[in-house]
Amino acid sequence: AVIGASRSPVKLGAIVLKNIIESGFPGKVYPVNPNADSIYDLTCYKDISLLPEAADLAAVALPASLISQTLMQLAGKGIKNAVIFAAGFKEAGEEGEKLENELKDLAQKYQLNVLGPNCLGFINNLCPINVTFGKPVKLSGNLRFITQSGAIAASLFDYCNYAGLGFSQFITLGNKAVLNENDILEYF
């Protein structure tokens, strides 16, 4: 599910949705936007509660101020995995730190796996799926990357495309509020 999917091609939710579709992801994709009936020829759902099933993953393209409410809605729907792209958490000062602590508490309470916040997302070319708002790398390969920084990831995407280098998986961690390097290494 792409929460905050958009019809405007310059918005984060539109870019993430487009990257998922263009990556060749073989599963179902559910855009969520209260103001749209369809996006990219996909039925759009007005609310998380209206999704036809609990998605395996929620890519959340909403502002920091809406994340806690969204996590509670995801938990209510039975969605256990989320990527939070929004900035404005502990890196933004005291108010952001409060938001991030609330995110951590909700993740623990509802047993949610949260990548981010403040991350670029992830790519898994083995699946395939691109859950980022970055320019996708065209080639698959055997390399796996983990980085905290979305800027480093975007630079590596550009370099990989330039050099003809592919990878199998690329994960950006952002603030590491819930999932961190140890979790990703264990997954690998």
Side-chain angles (χ1 to χ4, degrees):
V2 179
I3 316 304
S6 177
R7 291 176 290 198
S8 173
V10 297
K11 293 208 172 184
L12 179 71
I15 297 167
V16 171
L17 180 59
K18 183 178 179 189
N19 280 350
I20 291 170
I21 293 166
E22 290 183 353
S23 69
F25 176 63
K28 297 174 187 169
V29 180
Y30 301 120
V32 177
N33 180 320
N35 303 312
D37 293 325
S38 69
I39 301 175
Y40 295 123
D41 295 327
L42 296 170
T43 299
C44 195
Y45 298 88
K46 304 287 183 196
D47 188 82
I48 293 166
S49 66
L50 299 175
L51 291 172
E53 63 184 330
D56 293 327
L57 174 70
V60 182
L62 297 173
S65 61
L66 299 176
I67 297 303
S68 292
Q69 173 188 346
T70 301
L71 288 177
M72 288 187 281
Q73 292 171 348
L74 293 175
K77 187 65 181 179
I79 299 171
K80 294 291 188 180
N81 304 299
V83 176
I84 308 294
F85 301 106
F89 290 89
K90 71 180 178 187
E91 79 284 355
E94 190 175 314
E95 189 59 36
E97 188 171 3
K98 287 179 187 175
L99 289 174
E100 188 160 324
N101 287 335
E102 195 172 300
L103 180 156
K104 288 179 191 179
D105 292 343
L106 289 168
Q108 183 176 12
K109 177 179 180 180
Y110 295 114
Q111 299 177 325
L112 304 174
N113 298 306
V114 177
L115 185 63
N118 191 26
C119 73
L120 184 67
F122 74 92
I123 299 173
N124 183 337
N125 285 330
L126 303 174
C127 181
I129 190 168
N130 176 358
V131 186
T132 73
F133 54 95
K135 183 179 177 185
V137 174
K138 298 175 181 124
L139 296 174
S140 291
N142 294 321
L143 299 172
R144 292 177 173 163
F145 290 93
I146 304 170
T147 181
Q148 177 277 326
S149 167
I152 295 289
S155 295
L156 283 169
F157 292 171
D158 289 343
Y159 176 76
C160 286
N161 279 324
Y162 171 77
L165 182 64
F167 59 85
S168 61
Q169 297 176 71
F170 204 117
I171 299 175
T172 67
L173 299 170
N175 289 13
K176 303 186 275 186
V178 178
L179 296 176
N180 62 37
E181 300 90 339
N182 294 333
D183 299 305
I184 304 307
L185 287 171
E186 185 177 321
Y187 162 74
F188 283 166

